[in-house]
Amino acid sequence: MNFKILILITLLKLGFSTELIAQNQIDYDDNLNQASELYVTDKKIPESILLKLVPENYDEFDKYYRTTSPDHKLGNTDFFYETTQMIFNEVISKNNSDFYLSSLKLASFADGEYAENFIHNLELIIEMDEQKFCKSINGKEYSNQNPIKYYSELKNCE
């Protein structure tokens, strides 16, 4: 293949990837805004929106967690804490398998003041079915992040 064509294809792919990343960020922002509007009006947040609240990366998690900041419109609410608990409860209380991987991904962001709650929920999920936990994290990018990594090693997941 001609070197110039190879460079052109690579640049086109990079541009497309950048576009996709930007679109995903917009989608996350829109979903976060939609969830927060439902929350402040005391309306039920549909499962589809709740699932999309689970961040894909640290940038999205930062946006989600920033809702606890005093200068954020949700800063005087428990939006972050209540919606994360809703996500975990879909697995723990309702045994909703649609939320299983999302709950593990959410738990992988455990840090700071909310870490204890995230880890507690993770432990409950693991206790429900250790084998499912081990199978589910196999090959996932967040399996190398604590606390997932810690529990993976503790439970001798392969």
Side-chain angles (χ1 to χ4, degrees), residues 21-44:
I21 292 168
Q23 184 60 45
N24 286 342
Q25 291 298 314
I26 292 168
D27 290 346
Y28 188 80
D29 292 348
D30 288 346
N31 191 70
L32 181 60
N33 287 333
Q34 196 173 11
S36 65
E37 286 176 29
L38 291 167
Y39 178 84
V40 297
T41 57
D42 289 326
K43 294 182 180 163
K44 184 177 182 334

Side-chain angles (χ1 to χ4, degrees), residues 65-124:
Y65 182 67
R66 263 190 277 149
T67 62
T68 64
S69 175
D71 58 341
H72 193 279
K73 67 181 182 179
L74 296 169
N76 63 348
T77 72
D78 285 329
F79 173 78
F80 174 80
Y81 301 101
E82 289 183 12
T83 55
T84 56
Q85 194 58 50
M86 285 180 203
I87 292 164
F88 287 125
N89 283 345
E90 284 294 323
V91 175
I92 297 165
S93 301
K94 299 179 182 179
N95 204 17
N96 185 340
S97 61
D98 292 341
F99 281 81
Y100 192 85
L101 290 176
S102 296
S103 291
L104 298 180
K105 184 182 289 185
L106 183 59
S108 75
F109 291 100
D111 191 22
E113 65 186 53
Y114 52 87
E116 186 175 328
N117 187 48
F118 276 34
I119 291 169
H120 173 72
N121 284 302
L122 176 60
E123 289 172 342
L124 292 173

